[in-house]
Amino acid sequence: MKWWYRVVRKRPVDASSLAFQRMRDDFEKRLEMWAGLPVQGPSRSEHVFVLVLPWLRSAVPFYSLEVALRLRQLGFKVTLVWDDINLFGNAPRTDCSQIEATLHRVSHTFELIRVRDFPKERWIPSADHDGIAESLLYENAIWLKRGECTVDEFQLAYPKARDNVVQHLARVSGILKEHTCDWMLIPGGIFAASSIWVAGTRDAGIEFTTFDSGLASTILCHRGVAAQKDDLPQSFQRTWNPSSPAVDFGIAFGKAELERRRLGSGRAFVFQISSPSEAGR
């Protein structure tokens, strides 16, 4: 057996790690493009925090940086908030080191808050944090384990998760009291630390927007979780006019879209696929 074959067998290639590395390489090519554009000072009064998080080896942290670059180009004052705290396996060190390397390339042009470096004596604990932590962990356990029946497995796998979340809530509360902004851009809103920043901004009275994205679409939600579309009922109530001729069109379009998703033929979203006979029931 050749020596290189033995090495490969002992150290199998991690496909997701290679894919993440390619995402980082692609984004750093984007940075070269941005470097060729003029950087102007803030021309708007709004100060925006953009949260950067490791996210299951996806492009989410690089997308956050891309949005930060665009917001700055539009004249906003932008501060990056880098949160690599590992609450329950959400921030693998290898992934964080790659994101750190990319952040290093842009940190000289942005103000950067490193969450890990915020001193413990300035954290702000609260009696409410225990209840918030229980709720956030329950939602994450269901999402990660794909069902309520395995929440206990999550708790056994991450016995320190509750304490980690309670401490992080206090840390985030301290940061948002000491560092102010007009609004904050947060990925997701439920997974891992994103849920803590949603809770923290709500408690601090800071406006926030969350985003959720895939290969074909991006969903935004102001003052709510993007995937839950908390802002849609309010928008619907403000615009609903039962006498409008657009109502029949909207209902027909919605039914057709629902059918496409049920049959698995939707371009951006697919529900649990059912057969045509089942879909007609």
Side-chain angles (χ1 to χ4, degrees):
M1 183 181 295
K2 295 183 180 295
W3 67 269
W4 50 264
Y5 184 69
R6 290 197 300 270
V7 171
V8 170
R9 290 193 64 185
K10 289 180 180 179
R11 302 183 64 181
V13 175
D14 186 335
S16 65
S17 178
L18 290 176
F20 188 65
Q21 177 65 58
R22 285 195 294 270
M23 291 177 199
R24 179 192 162 200
D25 292 342
D26 289 343
F27 179 71
E28 294 201 347
K29 292 177 183 176
R30 292 278 298 172
L31 289 181
E32 294 172 7
M33 184 203 76
W34 279 106
L37 299 176
V39 178
Q40 61 180 11
S43 60
R44 304 174 62 136
S45 60
E46 296 99 328
H47 183 189
V48 183
F49 283 1
V50 174
L51 181 63
V52 181
L53 296 173
W55 200 279
L56 303 171
R57 284 187 173 166
S58 73
V60 167
F62 308 123
Y63 182 80
S64 297
L65 291 173
E66 177 78 12
V67 174
L69 289 161
R70 178 60 175 157
L71 287 171
R72 185 180 63 182
Q73 187 187 48
L74 292 173
F76 291 92
K77 179 181 179 184
V78 180
T79 296
L80 301 177
V81 180
W82 168 227
D83 187 350
D84 65 339
I85 301 298
N86 196 0
L87 304 171
F88 41 79
N90 56 285
R93 195 63 250 157
T94 52
D95 298 0
C96 289
S97 63
Q98 291 203 52
I99 301 169
E100 279 270 11
T102 301
L103 278 169
H104 180 72
R105 291 194 56 179
V106 301
S107 60
H108 64 285
T109 61
F110 283 101
E111 179 183 347
L112 176 64
I113 297 173
R114 295 183 181 274
V115 173
R116 179 176 295 279
D117 295 340
F118 191 71
K120 190 172 183 177
E121 58 269 20
R122 300 212 290 272
W123 296 5
I124 303 178
S126 167
D128 296 334
H129 287 168
D130 285 336
I132 294 172
E134 291 290 343
S135 176
L136 299 184
L137 285 171
Y138 183 74
E139 291 178 344
N140 274 272
I142 292 174
W143 186 85
L144 287 169
K145 294 297 183 179
R146 297 296 188 266
E148 297 185 33
C149 61
T150 54
V151 170
D152 290 342
E153 295 177 23
F154 176 86
Q155 294 173 341
L156 288 172
Y158 305 104
K160 295 182 179 179
R162 184 180 174 281
D163 289 342
N164 291 343
V165 170
V166 169
Q167 291 177 13
H168 203 40
L169 283 162
R171 182 190 282 112
V172 167
S173 294
I175 290 172
L176 292 175
K177 181 176 178 60
E178 191 163 312
H179 300 274
T180 59
C181 66
D182 294 293
W183 62 276
M184 186 168 191
L185 181 67
I186 302 172
I190 292 179
F191 175 61
S194 71
S195 60
I196 293 175
W197 286 94
V198 166
T201 49
R202 279 178 172 156
D203 186 59
I206 296 172
E207 297 287 313
F208 67 95
T209 298
T210 62
F211 71 85
D212 200 349
S213 60
L215 295 176
S217 65
T218 298
I219 304 170
L220 297 172
C221 181
H222 192 57
R223 301 178 184 171
V225 176
Q228 297 175 349
K229 304 179 180 65
D230 296 333
D231 54 348
L232 282 186
Q234 299 176 36
S235 301
F236 179 81
Q237 291 299 329
R238 291 181 182 181
T239 58
W240 171 249
N241 179 5
S243 62
S244 170
V247 170
D248 290 340
F249 168 79
I251 292 174
F253 183 88
K255 287 182 176 179
E257 175 62 20
L258 178 62
E259 189 70 3
R260 282 193 294 271
R261 296 186 187 189
R262 292 179 65 184
L263 294 175
S265 58
R267 291 183 300 171
F269 301 97
V270 176
F271 295 155
Q272 183 172 345
I273 297 175
S274 58
S275 68
S277 59
E278 291 175 330
R281 292 177 184 174

